[in-house]
Structure formats: structure tokens, C-alpha cells
Amino acid sequence: MENIREKLAELQGKFAEIYGVSLEASVFAPGRVNLIGEHTDYNGGFVLPCALSYGTFALGRKRADRKLRMYSDNVTRLGIMEGSLDDLKAYENDHFTGYVKGVIWAAEEAGFVCDTGMDILIWGDVPNGSGLSSSAALEVAIGLLIKTMFSFDTMTQPQIALLSQKAENEFMGMQCGIMDQFISAMGKEGHALLLNTGTLTYKHIPLELEDAEIVIVNSCVKHSLVGSAYNDRRNECEKALALIRQAMQDGVLALPASGKLPEGLCELTAEEFEAAAGVLKDEILCARAKHAVYENDRTIRAAEALSHGNTALFGKLMRESHASLRDLYEVSCEEMDILTDIANAKEYVLGARMTGGGFGGCSVNLIKAGYGKQFRKEVGEAYTAKTGKKPLFYACVPGEGARVVEPQA
Ligand code: ADP
Ligand code: MG
């Protein structure tokens, strides 16, 4: 985002133009890039994302009736979409309004009841469906917007994240973990966030690298199977966990060091997993579980490396993460493998990996400081030569989490 205040002023004008009234509240929630810890967030593991400087605005005003009017300035052809507080259900033709209604519904389920309808305008600059979580940015923005408009003073930022995840899981049918919504709500400028998704405890880690920089590359590939394959992976992990738990209950396997049955695969250490692998029998389940356990271990080590400024180790772990996502978890795709292979072959690239759910979208690259221009040119040209696609490059400036942004008087 070039300038948040300037963009907000423009959207403020748009709101008045579309709805014929001025807005009452405006908020902003960022997208995110995950540095490492992929597909661990529904296995009770660690993740290490950072919030971005770009994201989604939500502007709103209460109505006298119970209507919901929703407009996206990114998808103007849809015009003003209508809904009602009395009909908070998902429909086939929902488009982005599903996320809006879903969050209002999830808030209501938690006792935060919106007592009037609303006019809402949204706009964002997170590319949709590219693994930078435009959906979470939208959900968290709506959560913060209703908190602000209806004075839900006890609604905390982590709670907004949880409501948003519930909306995505139960309203949109996407069984995502908590990472995307949590980092959008809880990001801190200049920092990455090490989050334990099993306990929701977290630590902000400074991301001011002296000798390296982070570049995001959009492969410009979108695969439609993201949602279903994502849910499949989640089911496979649940199956693997159930088998391991059963073997522990039956005394076939020893309990983990904690002495308790694991609630998620990532509670197992690598050694505990190796001892347990035999009970999984199925090769695919074994590969999926192995990814979760080892990726979690890599994430802990990467956070440690980051706090010591050890970018070489961080980069090595990123490469290992990509190989595991490609070979064991099978959520990469041909173009993404080409993109990361090109990057990883460069002497000035410390590490490159896919980021987000997979099957296309973006890669995250840790490169030696000062090589940004060369990286864009060389990786861009080679990727286009091999795939015929033109990649997009984004800077990664770790930004602040969701916040109220004051409109101009
Ligand atoms: P990702 O979260 O990786 O960007 P998703 O498929 O989870 O991809 O979410 C993308 C969807 O979110 C879009 O198809 C659209 O429905 C919705 N969305 C997000 N931001 C906006 C926006 N500013 N305007 C309209 N729809 C949006
Ligand atoms: Mg999403």
C-alpha cells in the first residue's frame, strides 16, 4: 500500500458516492507471508509468518433496518450485494459476501450480536488466491469493523482471529488452521510472529535483517483444487493422529515425553514420530505426518536462527521445507517447483520455498542484501522462459496487525 491515509480518503469518498451517506468506522487488516511452518497450523505446530504492509480496508455504517449491503471496490461488476442479519447463511453465489456474513455469524455465535444492519465497503491490494491470505485479511477486517461499530469492547484481537477462522471453516467450508487470521490480527511492524498454534502462545521476533532481504514472487498460477486438496491433507493428518493415539492407548506405542496423548501431530518429536511411523502402515499417511512433524521442528530451529541473525541456516531450512512440501506433502505444483529451483540455484539466494496452502500462488525468498534487482531480472526471465508466465514481485515489509484507521473529518 503506497499510503494508507491517501487510500482511505479515496475510499471514504467512494463510500459516500455508493451509499449516499458518510461512513462511521474504517479499519485495515493486513495480508501475510509465511516464512516457514507450512501446514503445521492445524496440527498444533509452530508457524512463523509476518504481516505485510498491504491488506484490506473495511468501511462501514450502521443502518436503521436489518439489511446488509456489501460492496467490493475490487469487484465493481458485482455492484452492491444484499443480505440480511436474519439470513446469515452461505449460498452458492455468495462471492466475497460469504466471508462478511460468515464473520458476522461467527461473532453472533460467540455472543457479539449486531443489532442493526450495515452498509459495508471493502477494498484490498492483497492478490486474491495467491497464498498471501486475502481471505483472512477480509475476515479480520470485518471482525474489527463490527467490534468498532457495535462497541464490542471485550472482543480481543486473538478472538477476532478465532471468529474469522470459524467463519472460514464452518461458513466457507475451508478447513484452514489459525495462522492466517492470527497474524493478520496480531502482526507487529518489523517483526515476524512465532506462534504455537496448539496453545496460541506467541512471540514477536525482530525481522530486521542486516545481510539479507525477503522477496515474494507470485508464480501467477492458480489451481482450483486448493480447497479440496487442503481439506484432504487435513483429513489425512487427522487419520494419522488417530492411529498413533490408538496405538498409544493400546500400549503398542509409548506416550510422548509429555505423558499425555498428543492432540496434534506436531506434539511429537522426530524421534517419537520415527518410533510411531510403523503403526501408520499407509505410505501416504506416513509421508503427510512426517512432513508435519519435521516442518514443526524446522520452524522452531528457523525462529532460533532468526533471533541470532543466522540467515544462512534460515535459508537452508526454507529449502528443506520446500522439498518436504513438494515430496512428502505434495502441495506444490510444476511451476512453483520451477520457480523455487531457479531461485535456489542462485548463489545469492539463501533459500526459496512455496508459501501458503500451495498448488501455485507465491514463493518466499531469502536473498543476500543488495541482490534484489538482479534477483528480479534473472529469476523473472528464467521463469518466463520455462513456463511462459510472467511472475510478479512484491517487497516484504513486515507490517502492523489489524487496526482502526481514522477517516478524515
Ligand atoms: P487467499 O486467501 O490465498 O488470497 P482465498 O481463496 O482463500 O485465497 O481467498 C480469496 C477470496 O477472498 C476471493 O475469491 C474473494 O472471494 C475474497 N476476497 C478477498 N479480498 C477481497 C476483496 N478485496 N474484494 C472481494 N473479494 C475478496
Ligand atoms: Mg485464504
Side-chain angles (χ1 to χ4, degrees):
M1 188 105 16
E2 291 297 303
N3 183 324
I4 287 219
R5 289 197 69 80
E6 255 170 47
K7 189 68 208 181
L8 179 59
E10 184 194 322
L11 294 174
Q12 199 177 344
K14 225 9 157 323
F15 190 96
E17 194 183 301
I18 302 277
Y19 292 118
V21 284
S22 55
L23 61 90
E24 282 173 357
S26 41
V27 304
F28 175 82
R32 65 99 186 91
V33 64
N34 189 22
L35 303 177
I36 195 162
E38 213 66 77
H39 288 278
T40 49
D41 68 337
Y42 49 83
N43 287 307
F46 282 92
V47 291
L48 188 62
C50 70
L52 296 169
S53 53
Y54 27 97
T56 304
F57 287 91
L59 282 55
R61 182 183 179 92
K62 285 190 198 173
R63 295 177 54 84
D65 57 21
R66 292 178 61 77
K67 263 190 203 166
L68 293 172
R69 294 206 295 167
M70 300 159 277
Y71 180 83
S72 169
D73 203 32
N74 293 104
V75 202
T76 52
R77 66 178 160 79
L78 293 173
I80 298 176
M81 309 273 281
E82 291 224 357
S84 161
L85 288 177
D86 299 317
D87 185 31
L88 293 175
K89 290 196 207 88
Y91 292 104
E92 281 274 311
N93 61 349
D94 263 345
H95 202 278
F96 75 94
T97 55
Y99 297 96
V100 179
K101 289 188 292 177
V103 173
I104 296 173
W105 165 81
E108 195 168 284
E109 292 281 296
F112 297 105
V113 180
C114 299
D115 53 13
T116 69
M118 289 162 254
D119 290 334
I120 295 174
L121 181 147
I122 63 161
W123 178 86
D125 59 357
V126 182
N128 286 184
S130 299
L132 302 181
S133 259
S134 69
S135 62
L138 173 55
E139 290 153 2
V140 170
I142 296 299
L144 185 57
L145 184 73
I146 61 172
K147 171 190 160 95
T148 311
M149 284 204 296
F150 295 91
S151 305
F152 296 144
D153 297 336
T154 60
M155 190 190 272
T156 62
Q157 298 277 114
Q159 199 170 14
I160 291 176
L162 286 163
L163 297 175
S164 298
Q165 183 201 17
K166 184 178 166 112
E168 184 132 0
N169 288 170
E170 295 179 33
F171 209 87
M172 302 304 292
M174 170 68 174
Q175 299 303 321
C176 62
I178 186 64
M179 168 172 67
D180 302 352
Q181 293 81 7
F182 203 90
I183 180 64
S184 180
M186 300 294 290
K188 185 171 168 187
E189 201 174 340
H191 290 72
L193 178 106
L194 178 67
L195 172 68
N196 179 335
T197 62
T199 58
L200 295 191
T201 47
Y202 61 89
K203 191 163 99 182
H204 287 110
I205 302 182
L207 195 56
E208 283 132 11
L209 306 170
E210 275 174 20
D211 58 349
E213 51 193 91
I214 295 167
V215 185
I216 300 165
V217 189
N218 192 340
S219 68
C220 293
V221 177
K222 287 184 195 179
H223 285 284
S224 56
L225 77 170
V226 185
S228 62
Y230 195 103
N231 293 349
D232 290 347
R233 294 299 178 281
R234 187 164 180 152
N235 288 335
E236 286 159 357
C237 288
E238 273 165 18
K239 248 190 226 166
L241 178 66
L243 287 168
I244 291 172
R245 283 170 62 103
Q246 191 60 54
M248 286 175 173
Q249 268 172 329
D250 296 346
V252 177
L253 269 180
L255 286 171
S258 66
K260 287 190 293 199
L261 285 175
E263 299 289 333
L265 286 171
C266 293
E267 282 176 36
L268 302 175
T269 61
E271 295 75 44
E272 286 164 350
F273 167 75
E274 294 302 340
V279 308
L280 297 179
K281 295 192 176 76
D282 183 294
E283 215 177 290
I284 296 222
L285 288 191
C286 207
R288 307 298 193 240
K290 185 169 184 176
H291 166 77
V293 171
Y294 282 80
E295 179 76 355
N296 187 50
D297 183 59
R298 276 189 288 274
T299 308
I300 297 166
R301 286 192 288 144
E304 189 68 26
L306 187 60
S307 11
H308 294 112
N310 188 346
T311 48
L313 176 57
F314 198 98
K316 178 174 172 279
L317 293 165
M318 288 172 78
R319 289 171 193 232
E320 289 174 14
S321 168
H322 185 80
S324 178
L325 289 158
R326 180 191 62 210
D327 303 334
L328 299 178
Y329 219 66
E330 296 184 273
V331 289
S332 187
C333 66
E334 197 187 340
E335 294 89 341
M336 182 54 68
D337 291 339
I338 291 173
L339 182 60
T340 50
D341 280 350
I342 294 168
N344 278 324
K346 302 285 173 209
E347 173 275 323
Y348 53 84
V349 174
L350 297 159
R353 59 179 287 276
M354 55 159 273
T355 186
F359 306 103
C362 290
S363 69
V364 56
N365 303 262
L366 187 69
I367 68 174
K368 289 185 184 166
Y371 284 90
K373 213 170 151 196
Q374 191 173 344
F375 174 84
R376 286 171 184 240
K377 184 175 185 317
E378 292 183 350
V379 174
E381 283 174 3
Y383 179 69
T384 304
K386 287 205 163 155
T387 63
K389 294 192 184 316
K390 219 171 148 34
L392 297 169
F393 294 85
Y394 313 111
C396 170
V397 182
E400 195 68 22
R403 57 214 186 255
V404 172
V405 283
E406 294 296 338
Q408 275 152 17

